[in-house]
Amino acid sequence: MADVTVNPISSILVSNRGEIARRIMRTAHLMGIRTIAVFADGDAEAPFVKEADSAYALNGRTSSETYLNVEKILDVCQRSDAAAVHPGYGFLSENADFASAVIGAGIAWIGPNPDVIASM
């Protein structure tokens, strides 16, 4: 049997919005994990933003300016000291390059392996 090191996740950045973000955050809170939201300008007062332990504006209105902007999300990961990223579904959840970028930044990816995503 191989030695396995388990590092508990202390914080999760949820790179999604709306009800899916709320569900992920609710479960994370039950597990004692700090949650980080990212949001577009129009979502600043949304419930998922208010329910997160911390929230960061992505400074844009469209999906391409915000929830699909890998650089902005990775920047928030670094600024917020996110230990993991949960993509939810839609947006970047099926983007192998995003998953690889998260892993490459030394952040845990909560989702399929990038190779599996690419094969879909």
Side-chain angles (χ1 to χ4, degrees):
M1 184 179 211
D3 289 333
V4 176
T5 302
V6 176
N7 295 317
I9 293 172
S10 58
S11 60
I12 295 174
L13 182 140
V14 181
S15 64
N16 214 295
R17 63 181 299 278
E19 184 60 26
I20 187 59
R22 293 180 78 194
R23 290 178 185 187
I24 295 164
M25 288 178 197
R26 186 169 34 249
T27 300
H29 286 148
L30 288 171
M31 298 173 70
I33 299 170
R34 183 173 65 90
T35 60
I36 304 156
V38 291
F39 62 93
D41 294 350
D43 289 332
E45 298 299 318
F48 78 95
V49 175
K50 295 178 183 215
E51 293 169 7
D53 293 304
S54 60
Y56 292 78
L58 293 173
N59 300 316
R61 298 199 63 78
T62 67
S63 293
S64 62
E65 293 173 330
T66 57
Y67 301 107
L68 294 173
N69 189 308
V70 173
E71 292 79 21
K72 285 184 178 181
I73 293 173
L74 288 175
D75 176 62
V76 173
C77 286
Q78 298 303 321
R79 290 189 291 132
S80 67
D81 200 27
V85 170
H86 192 306
Y89 60 83
F91 292 123
L92 293 171
S93 67
E94 297 177 7
N95 184 313
D97 292 335
F98 177 57
S100 293
V102 168
I103 294 166
I107 302 164
W109 170 253
I110 301 174
N113 179 291
D115 293 335
V116 173
I117 296 171
S119 72
M120 294 189 296

